[in-house]
Structures are given as C-alpha cells and as structure tokens.
Amino acid sequence: MTTRTIKTWAWVHKWSSIVCTVFMLLLCITGLPLIFHHEIGHLLGTEVEAPKMAEGTPHTSLDKVLEVARAKYPDRVVQFASKDEDDDNLWFVTLTPTPAPTDDFRSVAVDARTAEALPTPRFDEGFMWIMFKLHVDLFAGLAGKLFLGLMGLLLLVAIVSGVVLYSPFMRKLDFGTVRRDKRTRLKWLDLHNLLGIVTLVWLFVVGATGMINTWADLMIKYWQYDQLSTLLAPYKDQPTVPVAERASVQRSMEVAAAQAPGTKLAFIAFPGTAFSSPHHHTFFLKGNEPFTSRLLQPVLVDAKTAEVTAAPKLPWYLTALLVSQPLHFGDYGGMPMQIIWALLDIATIIVLGSGLYLWLKKGNPVHEHKPRTGPEAAAPPPHAPGQAPQPVGANAAARLEGAP
C-alpha cells in the first residue's frame, strides 16, 4: 500500500475506534455476567425451581395455569406464556397493564402439574436486570437499541480497517511478539495488536450479530406490516376478542402442535400483543435439535374458535435474527462454549482498554508518523485492531425483541 492509503486507513481505524470504544467497553463489561445469567441466577437465588415429584406426574390444563396467574394480578392482562427452557414442569406467565409492549410487567411461575403459583422473584429489578438493560438499550428503549447498533457498525469498520493496517505495520515482527522494552506504551501496543488479531473472527461475528439484534423491533414491525397484515385481512375492523369469549387455550395449543409435528412450544403470544393479532393466540413452536431449537414456527389460532388460520414461515431476516441471538452470547455449546465466550470477552476488554490507553498516551497521531528505517520501523501504529462483543440475552418469551 502507498503511504497515502495507509494514512487513510489509519484515520478510519482511529476515529471509528475512538467513537465506539467507551460503549463497547460498557457492552463487554455488562455482557460478561449475561453469559452466565442462569448460573448467576442460581447463586443469587433468583431462579425458580419446581418442587420434586414422581417422574411422569401428569400436567394440568393450561387454562387452569392461566387462571391461577390472573388471580395473582387481576388488574393485568396476559401477554405471554412459556415453558421454562430447562424444566418442562414450569410455566411462566407474563402480565402487563395492557397488551401493548412495556417494561411494566409481572411474571408468575406456576407448577405445570399442580397449577400452584410458586414464589417468583421480580425480574425487572436487581443486578442482572440492570446489566441486561444497559446491554440491550441503555435504558433508552428503541432509541438506545438503534444507537448501540450504530456503535456496532463502527466496531465492524474498526475491525476491517485494523486488519488492513495489521500487515504493513507488523510484517517485520514474528507473530505473537511482545517486545521487552522499557517503554510501557510499546508493550501495550504489541499486546493490543496480538489480542486484536487473535480474536479477530470472534469479534467480527459477535459484533455483527449484536448489531443485528438491535434491529429486532424494526424487523418485527416490518414483518407485521409485510406479512401478517395480509393474513389478517379477513379480520379487518373486528374488535379484539374479550377474554370471556375466547376458546380454551389448552385446546388451541393442542391444535397448533398438531399443525407442526416434531416441534415443541417456545412461547404463546396472546391477542393484541406485539407478536400476535387482536384475534389470535399465536403459538411459536421450535424444533428439538440444537440448531432447529433456535428457529420458530408461528401458528395463528383463532381466539374464538380454536381453529388454525395460518402457519406462515418466518422470513429470512427474522430467521437470521433468531440464529444470531444464541450465537452472539454463546448459547449453542453449553458451559464449555460459555467459558470460551467469557475468555474472549475478557481479551476484548484488554484490547479496548489498551487501545484507549494508547490513544491517551500517544505523542502524534498515527498518520503524522514519518516512514522510518532500522529496527524501529517494525513498530505498529497505536491503533491496530481491537474491538468488543455485544452479547445479549433474552428469555424464551421475548427472544425476538429482547423484551421481558
């Protein structure tokens, strides 16, 4: 590359990194506990566990479960219901003041066998909730998500420009070299470059999937406008079905399951909520394999008649969203993958911190350095590759939007 080209790439790398570094550090730090959110929940005592009973104890009707949940909060409406991901004997029912999306929600855990309400902690408060909200939207709703998405885009620009700069500035050093020098800044520079290039692919994947996750709300709204509006044309101008006039949800669930054999329930969206229509219970079903368990098949069941009216395939962009979410925070491979994700996250924190340190301690900007000869010519610029992940967590009832 010519000197002019290197200067241009150095400018791009420097400013894309500077703008997003603080926010990427925040996302790395908040994302680290989210990787182990289930394990931390057990340690903090915020995980709900069903009492032990004889294996094979039959489950009660879902209608009874919903009745118990509504009795706990009679002034609220049911938005979602889902089985616990790890325990089929637990139902979680989410209730809100209205069917509209909101952070004001209450969750009720109900034993699927006895229909008894279990002690349920508040999921909208505490350390993990704060980490989750900071990581997902900075407590700023959709605007916060889109802002973090922009920071994710700058992260990808910094990665690409860092890769371009790595070769011309590191070609005279053996890979993995961290020079022993009295100058602290030079040691951090080599460490920054080494960790940046080692974590390159992971950083790009996690950064890209994190950016995709920030678009979830817009993707869902477009899906509703583009596809659901056509399917719901026969129901145009009809009011939302009142609770008293709805068919058995248990019966509706059985009908939906028959529509997609070989699947199991992920969650149920009730009439009028963001993932359904005013006239349907929408059942989101998932496969039984590690990969297919991340893909959802919606089945719309008429809330009055308990008849299936549509089972549309999710469009490619929502499929990409669903695949990206578990890949983003290491949900595919159990504990070994979580540990790898955590180690790479820590390495990224070092990359970001060292990059910030190098910028604050720099003498002249990279693009003002004149070409050198001799041993010092191998020194790389103070802004070699260094970026951060954006792991995001979501429970079964809100995987598509990161909502409670």
Side-chain angles (χ1 to χ4, degrees):
M1 290 191 293
T2 65
T3 301
R4 184 181 183 85
T5 303
I6 292 176
K7 286 181 180 180
T8 301
W9 280 108
W11 184 90
V12 170
H13 183 71
K14 180 178 75 171
W15 287 108
S16 60
S17 300
I18 288 172
V19 172
C20 73
T21 290
V22 172
F23 297 99
M24 293 298 106
L25 270 172
L26 172 67
L27 293 173
C28 270
I29 294 169
T30 56
L32 191 57
L34 291 177
I35 296 174
F36 301 101
H37 62 100
H38 282 305
E39 292 76 11
I40 293 174
H42 282 294
L43 290 175
L44 297 178
T46 57
E47 291 286 308
V48 181
E49 296 184 1
K52 293 188 179 300
M53 292 185 183
E55 190 174 347
T57 302
H59 288 184
T60 189
S61 168
L62 175 56
D63 297 304
K64 179 62 177 177
V65 170
L66 296 173
E67 182 182 329
V68 170
R70 289 191 181 102
K72 293 278 290 184
Y73 298 101
D75 57 335
R76 291 172 175 258
V77 298
V78 176
Q79 272 208 355
F80 302 107
S82 63
K83 285 285 187 75
D84 184 82
E85 291 186 10
D86 302 317
D87 188 351
D88 194 51
N89 295 318
L90 276 177
W91 278 103
F92 284 97
V93 182
T94 302
L95 301 102
T96 53
T98 68
T102 177
D103 284 337
D104 180 10
F105 70 96
R106 297 290 183 271
S107 290
V108 180
V110 183
D111 192 311
R113 301 156 298 183
T114 64
E116 292 182 1
L118 302 174
T120 309
R122 289 282 297 271
F123 295 111
D124 58 348
E125 61 184 20
F127 172 74
M128 293 303 292
W129 172 249
I130 293 173
M131 293 296 99
F132 176 74
K133 290 297 290 180
L134 284 173
H135 193 84
V136 170
D137 62 10
L138 300 175
F139 287 94
L142 179 59
K145 291 180 182 180
L146 295 179
F147 175 78
L148 291 178
L150 176 61
M151 294 301 102
L153 178 60
L154 291 177
L155 165 66
L156 300 182
V157 172
I159 292 174
V160 172
S161 57
V163 171
V164 172
L165 291 172
Y166 184 82
S167 178
F169 282 100
M170 296 298 291
R171 64 180 180 272
K172 294 185 179 180
L173 286 178
D174 292 334
F175 180 79
T177 299
V178 177
R179 285 166 287 184
R180 306 285 182 181
D181 194 282
K182 292 182 179 180
R183 292 172 293 177
T184 303
R185 185 172 177 275
L186 186 59
K187 295 178 183 177
W188 278 109
L189 178 60
D190 287 344
L191 186 62
H192 177 84
N193 292 331
L194 174 61
L195 291 178
I197 204 66
V198 167
T199 58
L200 170 68
V201 174
W202 180 81
L203 290 172
F204 193 89
V205 170
V206 172
T209 54
M211 182 176 67
I212 292 172
N213 289 340
T214 65
W215 302 336
D217 291 358
L218 298 180
M219 289 182 183
I220 293 165
K221 289 183 184 299
Y222 180 74
W223 175 60
Q224 292 173 327
Y225 169 80
D226 180 50
Q227 295 191 8
L228 284 190
S229 59
T230 302
L231 296 174
L232 300 177
Y235 295 89
K236 188 178 180 181
D237 300 326
Q238 293 185 22
T240 303
V241 181
V243 175
E245 298 180 15
R246 294 175 188 173
S248 165
V249 183
Q250 175 69 36
R251 171 59 183 160
S252 298
M253 181 172 64
E254 293 168 356
V255 169
Q259 180 71 25
T263 62
K264 59 182 180 179
L265 180 71
F267 69 95
I268 307 167
F270 283 71
T273 58
F275 295 99
S276 190
S277 82
H279 322 286
H280 294 83
H281 288 106
T282 303
F283 296 84
F284 287 86
L285 308 175
K286 60 183 180 180
N288 294 308
E289 301 298 326
F291 180 75
T292 59
S293 66
R294 306 297 178 179
L295 303 178
L296 300 181
Q297 169 63 59
V299 179
L300 280 69
V301 180
D302 190 292
K304 271 189 174 182
T305 65
E307 295 178 355
V308 173
T309 60
K313 295 291 184 183
L314 285 181
W316 66 267
Y317 50 86
L318 287 185
T319 299
L321 173 65
L322 290 168
V323 171
S324 72
Q325 287 181 334
L327 181 61
H328 179 70
F329 53 94
D331 259 7
Y332 278 119
M335 181 57 70
M337 193 168 181
Q338 287 176 279
I339 293 174
I340 293 172
W341 248 236
L343 293 174
L344 290 168
D345 192 350
I346 293 170
T348 301
I349 292 174
I350 297 173
V351 172
L352 289 167
S354 60
L356 190 60
Y357 166 80
L358 291 168
W359 180 69
L360 292 174
K361 293 292 184 180
K362 67 182 175 61
N364 294 318
V366 166
H367 58 273
E368 292 180 2
H369 285 198
K370 295 180 179 179
R372 296 169 292 177
T373 59
E376 291 187 357
H383 294 288
Q387 299 80 27
Q390 202 181 32
V392 174
N395 58 31
R399 279 198 172 275
L400 288 173
E401 66 174 358

